[in-house]
């Protein structure tokens, strides 16, 4: 039985949408033209297409514009699926078998969540911008190899404290969400150099921000509801660029930072 693993009560049109999403994903990866013959072959594999990558690649080889190496999927280190209107059901089971994958772009889709198995990938860069995420998927905090995480233009209301597990994170971009606070965990990120939390609803910056003093270089805080900065903010002596609202222009902590030769401020 080659039917995909679906809920028993799925409507026929939902089943067809499910299949179409999987076909689209495979076609995007292999960069082949979607013909009736290709569709017929793909339909025989459904969820097992990654596990059977060698066999499938051999069968698709005569139909592709370029030669498909049977090892293409297992050795792939970059995958871009941006702007495909993907939902979580369009992300195939077995994606975690792409052991060489380091850069995954899922921006500009309709994702509300991610499959838990993505936490098994050893990604360095993950782009989740312009989706419909109301929370950061749990699997993301399991990808401890992450260096660059972008989740801009979503519906995030909070970031989990578990984000502190991402010890390799260098850049975190979460602008244009609905964040009201920064989690304590964010100040434990020992490698973080770039943090953009602009265009949210954050009302205060935690005192623990000083935990980033040894490495944070660029900080964007503008277009929030921040009225004051915490004591110790000036201990962020590695800051090279700070973007804040004009109302904080003369804040004592900012004045202290201005004494640093390499420090630059921008105001909104």
């Amino acid at each position: 039985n080659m039917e995909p693993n679906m809920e028993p009560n799925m409507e026929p049109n939902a089943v067809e949408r499910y299949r179409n999403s999987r076909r689209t994903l495979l076609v995007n990866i292999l960069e082949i033209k979607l013909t009736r013959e290709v569709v017929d072959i793909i339909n025989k594999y459904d969820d097992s297409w990654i596990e059977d990558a060698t066999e499938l690649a051999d069968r698709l080889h005569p139909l592709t514009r370029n030669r498909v190496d049977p090892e293409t999927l297992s050795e792939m280190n970059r995958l871009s699926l941006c702007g495909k209107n993907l939902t979580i059901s369009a992300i195939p089971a077995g994606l975690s078998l792409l052991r060489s994958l380091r850069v995954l772009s899922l921006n500009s889709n309709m994702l509300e969540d991610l499959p838990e198995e993505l936490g098994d990938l050893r990604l360095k860069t993950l782009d989740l911008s312009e989706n419909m995420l109301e929370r950061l998927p749990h699997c993301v905090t399991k990808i401890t190899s992450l260096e660059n995480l972008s989740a801009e233009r979503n519906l995030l209301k909070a970031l989990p404290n578990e984000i502190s597990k991402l010890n390799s994170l260098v850049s975190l971009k979460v602008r244009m969400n609905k964040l009201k606070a920064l989690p304590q965990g964010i100040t434990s990120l020992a490698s973080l150099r770039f943090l953009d939390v602009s265009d949210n609803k954050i009302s205060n910056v935690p005192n623990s921000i000083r935990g980033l003093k040894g490495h944070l270089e660029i900080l964007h805080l503008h277009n929030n509801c921040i009225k004051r900065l915490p004591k110790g903010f000036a201990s962020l002596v590695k800051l090279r660029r700070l973007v804040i609202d004009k109302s904080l222009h003369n804040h004592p902590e900012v004045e202290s930072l201005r004494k640093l030769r390499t420090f630059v401020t921008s105001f909104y």
Side-chain angles (χ1 to χ4, degrees), residues 10-186:
M10 282 185 78
E11 298 293 331
N13 61 337
V15 173
E16 187 58 29
R17 286 199 302 272
Y18 178 95
R19 286 176 172 166
N20 285 340
S21 294
R22 302 224 176 219
R23 292 176 199 147
T24 301
L25 185 58
L26 181 58
V27 168
N28 287 332
I29 291 176
L30 293 181
E31 297 182 347
I32 61 178
K33 188 175 181 181
L34 190 61
T35 64
R36 168 49 55 187
E37 192 173 2
V38 169
V39 170
D40 288 343
I41 292 175
I42 293 173
N43 282 345
K44 293 178 181 178
Y45 284 83
D46 281 317
D47 286 352
S48 68
W49 62 266
I50 289 184
E51 292 89 331
D52 299 325
T54 299
E55 180 183 347
L56 180 55
D58 285 344
R59 294 196 62 182
L60 290 174
H61 169 55
L63 309 174
T64 58
R65 291 193 294 269
N66 301 305
R67 178 176 175 77
V68 178
D69 185 335
E71 300 299 321
T72 294
L73 297 184
S74 62
E75 294 182 356
M76 183 183 306
N77 56 33
R78 287 176 173 268
L79 176 57
S80 177
L81 296 169
C82 55
K84 306 297 182 183
N85 292 322
L86 297 179
T87 60
I88 188 172
S89 64
I91 299 178
L95 192 60
S96 61
L97 296 179
L98 300 182
R99 296 300 186 186
S100 298
L101 199 62
R102 296 295 178 264
V103 178
L104 178 58
S105 300
L106 293 170
N107 52 301
S108 304
N109 283 295
M110 300 175 66
L111 295 170
E112 298 178 0
D113 203 353
L114 293 174
E116 195 63 25
E117 66 172 315
L118 258 65
D120 296 328
L121 293 171
R122 298 176 59 191
L123 297 174
K124 289 187 177 295
T125 297
L126 176 60
D127 190 349
L128 300 172
S129 300
E130 296 185 67
N131 276 287
M132 302 174 68
L133 299 170
E134 294 187 7
R135 63 176 184 82
L136 192 68
H138 177 258
C139 62
V140 174
T141 61
K142 293 171 59 180
I143 311 175
T144 56
S145 57
L146 265 186
E147 296 179 1
N148 303 287
L149 174 59
S150 179
E152 300 175 307
R153 296 175 181 267
N154 274 277
L155 304 171
L156 297 174
K157 298 177 182 177
L159 292 175
N161 272 322
E162 289 77 12
I163 200 168
S164 63
K165 297 177 181 178
L166 302 180
N167 290 323
S168 299
L169 202 63
V170 174
S171 173
L172 176 60
K173 301 177 182 178
V174 286
R175 65 185 292 265
M176 298 191 76
N177 278 281
K178 297 184 177 182
L179 301 176
K180 294 183 178 180
L182 291 176
Q184 294 293 330
I186 213 171

Side-chain angles (χ1 to χ4, degrees), residues 224-235:
N224 277 289
C225 305
I226 301 169
K227 303 300 182 185
R228 64 181 182 83
L229 296 173
K231 289 184 178 180
F233 189 83
S235 66

